[in-house]
Amino acid sequence: MRNINIFKVRRKRRKGKTDGAAPVLQTAGRDAFRPFVNSVPACGADLELYRSLRKSVPVIDAALDKIVRLIGSFTIECENKGLEHQINEFLKNVRSGAQSGGVNGFLSVYINQLLTYGTAVGEIVLSGSGREIYSLVNVPLRDVELAFDDNMIDVLVCRPGVWQQRQPFEYQQLLLTSALNPEPGHLCGVSLLHGLPFVSEILMKIYNTIGVNWERVGNVRFAVTYKPSGDNDRALSRTRAQQIADEWSKAMRDKESVSDFVSVGDVSIKVIGADNQILDSEVPVRQMLEQIVAKLSVPPFLLGLSWSTTERMSAQQADILTSELEYYRRILNAPIGRIVSVWQQIHGEDCPFEIIWDNINLQDELDLAKAGLYNAQAQALRAAPEK
């Protein structure tokens, strides 16, 4: 029995015959002068740019991976404890991807896609009988387009097409979409890396220049100059210069032992570029990294940047990161709620539930414990009779 996956192949009917199955998701040609503004590709021309940005700048890739891991996990709570246990077991064991299992594996790719491209699309795949959720699938953005419905309110996931020939996929209730900080009137979100290509380009130029300079300086090149002292030397200057060049090359090629170069006449040897001063790259590199860190809102010490900072400043940076992670969690609540709601509909349940996220770190646990203690002490003091 085949699983119900709306992104898989479908059969076309032509002249009363059924042709072979053909993939629905295809990357069609896009017209740059498309006049219809109510439908846009789920990923624009910046798709490859942001992917290359993560590959080229390790700090950016490390920061996004840190954010994904620090978001943490969650549990579902509801009044029916038996149903609560079933939902949590389903989320723990549901298929998601080839390597990872459970909803956390699906959400890791989902939030990674959201942060990198500003938009994330997923699919709830039902079993062949339609009585169970078979798996959760992350959908490549290049294979879909987003469009407003007729009321210009809800977002529809469509097949890529040209002009108005695109068609929404069936079973929109089984599709998950999220957008990061979308601009007014736009369907797609804004990537977290928006604004970093210019800064990263400067940073890569500096790194590339450093590599070229070290290649030149590390692999030392010499300038051997021969100055004829008289008329006889001038007459034989070409021959003697060739002899000096041959002997010098022989001395440089001999890597097994130390070779001496002996010459007669006015011969000077200098290292090419030894008198030039290489520009100091520490200040401009730090300036570019500061811009990147400010955009990603990740404390420098989490990225291996040993910048001088105080303990209080580190605590404030950690608080800022916590608020950022809480914001990403609120975005993920919508697809998580959709998955749980579909599971309940399939099993004939309709119980209100709540998504409970784990505390981000042990420091939060300590702060919450202290806050609870202080609140209890304050209530005890208020409830104590006055003497």
Side-chain angles (χ1 to χ4, degrees):
M1 186 173 295
R2 297 179 60 187
N3 301 318
I4 301 176
N5 187 342
I6 64 176
F7 285 98
K8 296 299 181 183
V9 296
R10 287 195 176 95
R11 297 185 179 274
K12 300 180 181 179
R13 297 186 179 273
R14 184 181 301 172
K15 297 181 180 180
K17 297 181 180 180
T18 301
D19 297 334
V24 173
L25 291 183
Q26 302 178 27
T27 303
R30 297 186 173 94
D31 194 338
F33 301 95
R34 184 189 310 161
F36 303 98
V37 296
N38 66 331
S39 179
V40 296
C43 58
D46 294 337
L47 179 72
E48 293 297 331
L49 173 63
Y50 292 139
R51 183 184 291 115
S52 300
L53 203 59
R54 293 193 60 169
K55 291 181 179 180
S56 302
V57 186
V59 172
I60 295 178
D61 188 57
L64 295 185
D65 289 339
K66 287 283 193 307
I67 293 175
V68 172
R69 288 194 292 267
L70 289 174
I71 286 177
S73 58
F74 66 93
T75 56
I76 300 297
E77 291 186 1
C78 57
E79 296 180 357
N80 188 338
K81 296 303 178 181
L83 180 63
E84 174 184 312
H85 177 73
Q86 294 179 19
I87 295 175
N88 287 319
E89 285 297 315
F90 156 73
L91 294 176
K92 180 179 179 181
N93 300 310
V94 65
R95 294 178 179 87
S96 59
Q99 299 294 332
S100 59
V103 71
N104 288 329
F106 167 77
L107 291 178
S108 296
V109 181
Y110 192 85
I111 189 64
N112 218 321
Q113 189 182 54
L114 181 67
L115 296 177
T116 305
Y117 308 116
T119 307
V121 179
E123 179 194 0
I124 303 173
V125 180
L126 301 183
S127 62
S129 62
R131 299 179 180 178
E132 191 60 65
I133 294 179
Y134 180 75
S135 67
L136 303 174
V137 178
N138 298 98
V139 180
L141 296 181
R142 64 178 178 272
D143 294 334
V144 296
E145 289 187 0
L146 303 182
F148 281 119
D149 62 355
D150 295 336
N151 298 324
M152 299 295 291
I153 297 177
D154 294 331
V155 178
L156 302 177
V157 183
C158 306
R159 302 178 181 88
V162 180
W163 303 103
Q164 285 185 323
Q165 296 179 2
R166 65 183 60 84
Q167 299 177 357
F169 286 104
E170 300 177 3
Y171 311 110
Q172 291 287 325
Q173 66 273 17
L174 299 179
L175 300 177
L176 309 171
T177 60
S178 298
L180 181 66
N181 299 326
E183 297 180 359
H186 288 73
L187 292 170
C188 296
V190 179
S191 170
L192 188 62
L193 308 182
H194 182 72
L196 293 184
F198 174 73
V199 176
S200 301
E201 182 181 4
I202 297 176
L203 182 64
M204 296 310 297
K205 285 182 179 179
I206 296 175
Y207 284 152
N208 182 65
T209 304
I210 293 174
V212 172
N213 288 336
W214 273 101
E215 183 179 0
R216 291 175 176 175
V217 174
N219 187 9
V220 181
R221 291 168 173 82
F222 297 92
V224 182
T225 305
Y226 166 64
K227 297 180 180 180
S229 57
D231 295 338
N232 294 332
D233 289 344
R234 292 188 181 92
L236 301 175
S237 59
R238 181 183 297 274
T239 303
R240 291 187 177 181
Q242 186 63 43
Q243 292 176 351
I244 293 173
D246 294 340
E247 293 299 325
W248 179 259
S249 300
K250 181 180 178 181
M252 291 295 100
R253 288 195 301 266
D254 192 358
K255 299 180 180 179
E256 298 180 357
S257 61
V258 179
S259 299
D260 296 327
F261 175 73
V262 180
S263 178
V264 177
D266 188 1
V267 178
S268 61
I269 301 174
K270 293 183 179 180
V271 177
I272 298 177
D275 298 333
N276 296 328
Q277 182 179 2
I278 299 177
L279 295 177
D280 184 13
S281 61
E282 182 177 358
V283 174
V285 165
R286 174 160 179 169
Q287 290 177 347
M288 298 301 105
L289 291 177
E290 286 175 349
Q291 298 295 320
I292 294 175
V293 171
K295 186 67 171 64
L296 301 178
S297 300
V298 177
F301 59 85
L302 290 180
L303 302 175
L305 301 174
S306 57
W307 295 346
S308 59
T309 179
T310 61
E311 182 178 355
R312 182 176 180 83
M313 184 181 298
S314 299
Q316 292 175 349
Q317 292 174 348
D319 292 339
I320 295 174
L321 177 61
T322 301
S323 63
E324 293 289 331
L325 297 177
E326 292 290 345
Y327 171 70
Y328 298 138
R329 285 179 170 184
R330 289 194 296 270
I331 296 178
L332 291 178
N333 283 340
I336 294 172
R338 175 74 67 86
I339 294 171
V340 176
S341 297
V342 170
W343 186 91
Q344 290 200 69
Q345 292 175 7
I346 292 175
H347 293 82
E349 302 288 347
D350 186 15
C351 181
F353 60 91
E354 186 177 1
I355 302 172
I356 306 297
W357 289 91
D358 298 338
N359 289 323
I360 295 175
N361 53 35
L362 294 179
Q363 186 66 34
D364 292 338
E365 296 277 4
L366 179 60
D367 293 339
L368 290 175
K370 288 183 178 180
L373 175 61
Y374 295 155
N375 290 331
Q377 292 176 347
Q379 293 178 0
L381 292 176
R382 285 193 291 267
E386 298 182 358
K387 295 182 180 180

